[in-house]
Amino acid sequence: MESLQKKSNFNMSEWMVKYPQLGTGLLFVVLCIIFIIFSPTNKAGDNVFLTAQNWTSILESTAGFSIGAFAMALVLLTGGIDLSAGAVMAFTGMVVAKLMEHTSLPLPLIIVISLGLGLLSGLFNGFIIVRFKVPPFLATLGTAGILQGLGYMIADGKSVYVTNESFTRIFGFGQFLGVPMLAWWTLLFTIIMYLLISKTKFGRRAQAIGGNEEAAHNSGINVSAMKCAAYGIMGLVSAFVVLTTIGRLGSAVPTQGQGYELQFIVAAVLGGTGFSGQGGNVFSVLLGSLVLGVLLNGMTLVGVNYYLQAVIKGLVIIMAVIVTLQLSRKK
Amino acid sequence: MESLQKKSNFNMSEWMVKYPQLGTGLLFVVLCIIFIIFSPTNKAGDNVFLTAQNWTSILESTAGFSIGAFAMALVLLTGGIDLSAGAVMAFTGMVVAKLMEHTSLPLPLIIVISLGLGLLSGLFNGFIIVRFKVPPFLATLGTAGILQGLGYMIADGKSVYVTNESFTRIFGFGQFLGVPMLAWWTLLFTIIMYLLISKTKFGRRAQAIGGNEEAAHNSGINVSAMKCAAYGIMGLVSAFVVLTTIGRLGSAVPTQGQGYELQFIVAAVLGGTGFSGQGGNVFSVLLGSLVLGVLLNGMTLVGVNYYLQAVIKGLVIIMAVIVTLQLSRKK
Amino acid sequence: MDKGNELLLELKNISKRFYGSYALKDASFQLRKGEVHILCGENGAGKSTLMKILAGVQGKDGGEILLEGRPVSIGSPLEARELGIAIVFQELSLSPTITVAENLFLNREFGRFFVNRKKMYAESRKILELVGLKCDPNVLLSSLSIAETQLVQIAKALSMNAKIIIMDEPVSSITEEDTDKLFELINGLKRQGVGIIYIDHRIENYKRIGDRVTILRDGCVIETLDVGTATKADIVERMVGREISQLYPKTSKPTKEVKLKVQGLTDDKIKNINLEIYKGEVFGLAGLGGAGRSEILRMIFGANKINRSGIVEIDGKTVRIRSPKDTMKVGMGYVPEDRKLQSLILFRPVSFNLSLAFLDLFGKGPFLNNSKENQIVDEQIRSMQIRMLSKKAAVKELSGGNQQKVVLSRWLINDKLNILLVDEPTRGVDVGVKYEIYKMIDELANAGITILLVTSELSELMGLCDRIAIVREGEISGILERDEFDQTAIMHLCVH
Amino acid sequence: ACGGSTNKSNEAKPSSSAGASGTAAPDNSDLIKDGIGTDFGFGPIGHDMEGLVKRMGAKAEGLKIGISVSTQENDWMVEWVKSLKKMCETNGLECIVTDAQGKPEKQVEDLKSLQNQNVDGIILFPQEEKSLVQVLGQLEGKIPVVPTIPIDGAKVAAYIDVNQQLKGELGATALKAAFNGEQGNILVFDLVGRVDFAINRIEGFTRAVEKIPNLKIVETQSYGTAEEYLSATKNILASREEINAIYTPYGVSMVAAAQALKQMNRKDVKIVGVDGDVVILGLLKEGWITGTNPQSPQQNGSIGLFTLLRLINGENVQSPVWEPPAYAALWATPENAEDFSMKLWGRAPVGSN
Ligand SMILES: Nc1ncnc2c1ncn2[C@@H]1O[C@H](COP(=O)(O)OP(=O)(O)OP(=O)(O)O)[C@@H](O)[C@H]1O
Ligand SMILES: Nc1ncnc2c1ncn2[C@@H]1O[C@H](COP(=O)(O)OP(=O)(O)OP(=O)(O)O)[C@@H](O)[C@H]1O
Ligand SMILES: [Mg+2]
Ligand SMILES: [Mg+2]
């Protein structure tokens, strides 16, 4: 009996340590199977859940969360958290929309401006956190209020309709080689962030900071600069994510981005990122946000009541984390 | 020059370590002065900010935040965080309102039921956190989704009108000895929570856990039980806080409690509570939530633009934390 | 019955596995009343694990515990305490966010529901006086130094009125003076019939208090000896399974070339430190705990950010020090005193920790060359003989000695290394690894690297250094040449 | 010039809503008595604010009007406040605006704060109706408060009523015309926080649909954000292929649904509903929406202020004061979208350039 237990334990835990994304992957597969079973079929007799259209929709609605979650994973790796990501989106999104509709600046310039503002917002977070040692939770919550307010002020509380078709195609519903643009963007960011976190010195140092800040400092790492950079990247990425929201909606709403920060965090954690530097595998995080995306899509498809959706989503989040943790935690 | 600096430093830091609420107190006074200066005068020529009526209003609107912040401070002391407090409010509040309006159960029983549900919700959080080692941030976020959904389901997303006058007086706008009931409740909870956190064995052990969980465990403390208790208390207190919200509004709204958890956290941190067991002085936390209460009241009174209010609130939160930290941090 | 022979505790065939490999294998052990029983063995031999099982902190996989002849099960720290077992943990086991008094009486507070603070305060005073710690029991624990914290831990265990007291490396971070006081106390407890299990890597201490010594190796009990008759060599040989003849392999000679010059280094803990250290010299800093030795190293390396003044010159050139980066650039390395808190990313693997400070060695530009990293790391692991279960294993799973090797290796992979600041490199490290570290220091010095060494073991300083500077209350009170080394002279300069 | 569009839009609505909605017939005799006046471009009904102020004479001097608004997060509310402020300004009234920032508690505080500042009367746009009943009870008799939409059970001197059910009926009628006898399967988008106005609109819609044989509501769902509505529209249209119409009782879901149709390039699905900001009117003009009942914030605010001033003047106001049917029943179609946009918002619909 003892040896049996040992054997099964060994296999599972070894695997899970090597491939931490397995837990999330498992969940993803299970969800897909459930939804395939319960999905209605369309007139052509296809399983709706499996149609290309539906997966386009899943990929499009998940793109923003994935991209943001990558950056959030980086912030979490440095031992921080960013609750202002959604507000950065609200703010920079309004700037983009206003500039697009009310000026004749070229689109690339507008995008650069807004990404720059996102970067600055993030650096501001980083500055407060490293200079004054304000806990990231509070610092970013404060920044969130500021940026949200600024966003409202810019738009005077109104939504701004975006008519630039090339914009809404590139960042919204356009396709390239039959694949949604947003999927391409996700792919691009997956690669960039994977390289950044797992393959560069920068990523290595970020991980060290989350693991032990003092040790990182004593190893010659400029902890303050690194942290600022992480928050800066988070801000920049948030500013990018809002482009996809605006692109998809064809308009910028003052409340855009609300709650995104939590989605980012949830996806990052479902992808095995811990709150003090553990994990940080970009592919797992991608799986984490796909789990969320498929869940929401599937529930709507199957016709689950919205209120029940909230309940189920809550349950799935908890269970997913439990499964991931239990599997990846060695005895 | 050196000696001078040393001297002034000494005084300040000594004081701040002994009386950590000084930073927040200072902020409170400054805010009051600002609002007194800029407040309009009413027809009787009184400074509106200083009228008894206005302070009644401040106390009433701050009560819920203070009471919840005390419990949140306890959770923070154990090294945790509870993002489900607002959802507990949404859920138990709906139950209370539905029971009050659609059954003839006696009021005390209804209240006991709802506090019990709050307690259970909190214990559920605690269970997930200690049994499965799910990070509190995620566990409580998941629970929040579940409870929010349940709250909506109970009322089918509609608000429920509460007609029981004795209820709305006791928990809402009633007065006793010329002082608002809600101020009495605040006082009661201040005393209870002060005793609980600072004077009882329970409180001292809770704080030990936040500082070094393993050490607490090694001292024979049942860390799991203690944590469950902290979340349980948070749930119970949230269920109480929503009584005051319902009492003040005379109705239960499905979105009630939304964002309260963050307010609790902000107030607790403004009151010098850290994210790993530092601080936890109930009087400071009270001051922290009064700062928030006065700020919101004053800004509305002075007629600050709505959007600007968000900006200012964000700035004040950041500055307040900086001031508190800088002053209380020994050189 | 003879008090000294009455059996207090018996551990029979205790086993414990981690990840399938044995940390303890059929370990048996006896403790008599009024006895100080020393437990010794290499890092990772299983000493702490055995004690944790006894303290109810860790479960066992097999075996039996008999207390005064009765079999007992110790499922939790509380049960251990109720059975009269108290422990001073090797790792810090106090909570920084509550006061000293609250820590002392954690989970056994006075009062029914509310804590009786008056009584707690008064009792705390008494307990602290016992170990000679003069601090207000009402201050937060976080305001104490490491040494003071350790004393609080000891005081806490002593105040339990336990039948059995376990001390897992209690003196590793306290001063000689405090150690003397502790030994006096232990002798007192012996007389009261308390059984004490004592763990320490300093074999010199055994004779001062020990009655018997049990040697553990790889989780197995090798032998129990009488301290009175056993020689140091006996013990060491059983511990490491081989002989270590000469403890301090000093062969290096300093050059006459000034490598590191420190002028007027001052901050709020140290005053006007002036040093001139030669290339290839092993330069030691002696002093009592809290004298400021570590602070000097931190300041030279740039690890502290606080306002500072003074000049650090390397090869005659002033170095502007804003952060460790500046000093690392000119070839300095730093091994801090607390490897877990200050050096290691505990849940990351060895390779991660090894390469952390010099990532630029593993590829130009922003990217890391993983195969190059693996190659260099493997080389280093081999040459330093770092032992671990798997290369992927987290560094926290390594024993203390091997962790220390990882920290040292971090600096050695830099071929431009020319000054190494080392703070307490042998703390909590077994004799075998100690010897390896001594050898390494000598080799480095021979290779022309300047070493600034802080250790609280005077014999180490005297055995390894070319010169020793004595630090007293943040100031240098004297510098001795190797031929002037003398224990009493140094101690004299330390205290006054 | 305006008459044309009015007539056109009136065609789409049932001639009298009284029977269908079951509420009292809108009686605008009060307004009509007063007469006269401001033409918002949709017909001759309006009210003579200047005349009223003149009539009040000294009573109008130094008046402090409190405006309590639910939120400033959408165009309609922003415009509502702006137009009210402007009306106060042009008539020499001081006004204090408070914004509840979407929080019912805050609105209660706001009302108390206005009371503390001794305003002479309050115009109220509620965030959450039921939660104001209590505080309005406390203000009763002290300060006249005029909610510009009904608050069930609230004791107020007078309130403005809007025939929400009629708005629902308009949608049903429009769909009937659009489907012209073919089968219409309808998806209804509710709100997550189910406020009265949405409930009533949907109720009116449902009732009217029940009487139309070829129309059927096959699905009701509610969501929170525009993005959720966008994704949901795509998902639901994919999974329920029979759905070919969407009813949306308010702007956020309408924009999102129309945007989804636009992205999927599906003009076969017909969207009808309530609200009509420039974005909606733009999408309408492009044909992604079949028809909508645009609401005029200026008009809603202006009736509110007008009624409040009359109360302050001690006139006998019969409550509720109904929104004039000509406004209640406005119906915008792709053809007149531009016209509506110019009149309601003073600018062209977005996206039509
Ligand atoms: N919690 C744990 N998880 C995994 N392995 C462990 C754990 N605790 C101890 N070990 C392993 O068990 C073995 C015995 O460790 P233990 O701490 O008992 O050694 P020790 O004799 O006290 O050494 P030291 O002198 O360094 O304190 C070591 O190989 C160690 O790595
Ligand atoms: N990591 C640290 N950060 C800040 N202050 C410290 C730190 N470690 C020790 N101190 C404090 O700084 C002062 C100087 O301590 P330092 O560590 O330099 O002394 P030391 O001679 O090395 O003695 P020890 O044996 O305690 O390490 C002491 O008062 C000590 O309490
Ligand atoms: Mg040990
Ligand atoms: Mg030291």
Side-chain angles (χ1 to χ4, degrees), chain C residues 18-19 23 41-50 52 58 90 168-169 201 397-401 428:
Chain C
F18 291 111
Y19 316 119
E42 286 181 291
N43 292 122
K47 305 179 295 292
S48 297
T49 306
L50 190 61
K52 281 182 189 163
Q58 212 144 48
Q90 182 177 6
D168 197 347
E169 307 200 22
H201 284 291
E397 289 159 16
L398 270 59
S399 76

Side-chain angles (χ1 to χ4, degrees), chain B residues 4-16:
Chain B
L4 232 171
Q5 198 192 342
K6 201 177 155 195
K7 203 175 161 190
S8 72
N9 243 336
F10 167 81
N11 279 338
M12 205 48 172
S13 71
E14 277 283 296
W15 266 74
M16 286 305 305

Side-chain angles (χ1 to χ4, degrees), chain B residues 56 67 122 137 160 274:
Chain B
T56 301
I67 295 171
F137 193 97
V160 178

Side-chain angles (χ1 to χ4, degrees), chain A residues 17-102:
Chain A
V17 172
K18 272 203 188 132
Y19 309 100
Q21 53 273 63
L22 268 191
T24 324
L26 199 71
L27 194 73
F28 179 73
V29 172
V30 170
L31 282 178
C32 284
I33 292 173
I34 292 176
F35 289 132
I36 290 172
I37 294 173
F38 288 102
S39 157
T41 48
N42 63 14
K43 277 177 194 146
D46 302 326
N47 186 303
V48 176
F49 181 75
L50 289 175
T51 57
Q53 224 184 7
N54 192 51
W55 279 91
T56 300
S57 166
I58 291 176
L59 291 177
E60 283 180 359
S61 61
T62 320
F65 293 134
S66 310
I67 295 171
F70 299 152
M72 189 61 85
L74 179 65
V75 172
L76 292 176
L77 275 186
T78 67
I81 196 165
D82 188 350
L83 298 182
S84 73
V88 171
M89 289 174 64
F91 167 61
T92 61
M94 270 305 159
V95 173
V96 171
K98 278 277 174 186
L99 288 180
M100 236 179 332
E101 296 307 303
H102 297 293

Side-chain angles (χ1 to χ4, degrees), chain B residues 40-44 48 51 53-54 57-58 60-61 152 156-162 168 172-173 245-251 253-258 260 263 296-297 300-301 306-307 309-310, chain D residues 62 64 69 72-73 78 81 85 96-99 101-106 108-110 112-113 115-120 128-135 138 152-153 191-196 199:
Chain B
T41 47
N42 63 13
K43 284 191 183 137
V48 176
T51 55
Q53 237 178 355
N54 192 51
S57 172
I58 290 175
E60 283 180 357
S61 62
Y152 275 118
D156 191 22
K158 295 183 199 173
S159 28
V160 178
Y161 187 47
V162 171
T168 52
F173 59 93
T245 331
I246 298 176
R248 284 171 64 221
L249 293 181
S251 67
V253 196
T255 54
Q256 66 201 348
Q258 231 168 48
Y260 268 66
Q263 298 280 346
L296 289 189
N297 174 282
T300 303
L301 211 61
Y306 344 104
Y307 310 136
Q309 287 196 13
Chain D
K64 242 202 289 190
V69 60
Q72 292 286 274
E73 287 185 2
V78 172
V81 170
K85 268 175 150 170
I96 302 173
V97 186
T98 61
D99 172 14
Q101 294 161 0
K103 297 182 196 97
E105 297 96 311
K106 173 90 167 48
V108 170
E109 288 315 314
D110 287 349
K112 287 185 178 167
S113 180
Q115 182 192 16
N116 291 348
Q117 295 177 62
N118 296 100
V119 295
D120 297 289
E128 208 292 322
E129 292 90 351
K130 290 197 181 78
S131 63
L132 289 166
V133 173
Q134 179 171 302
V135 66
Q138 289 164 9
D152 244 5
L191 270 75
V192 167
R194 302 194 55 206
V195 283
D196 289 346
I199 294 171

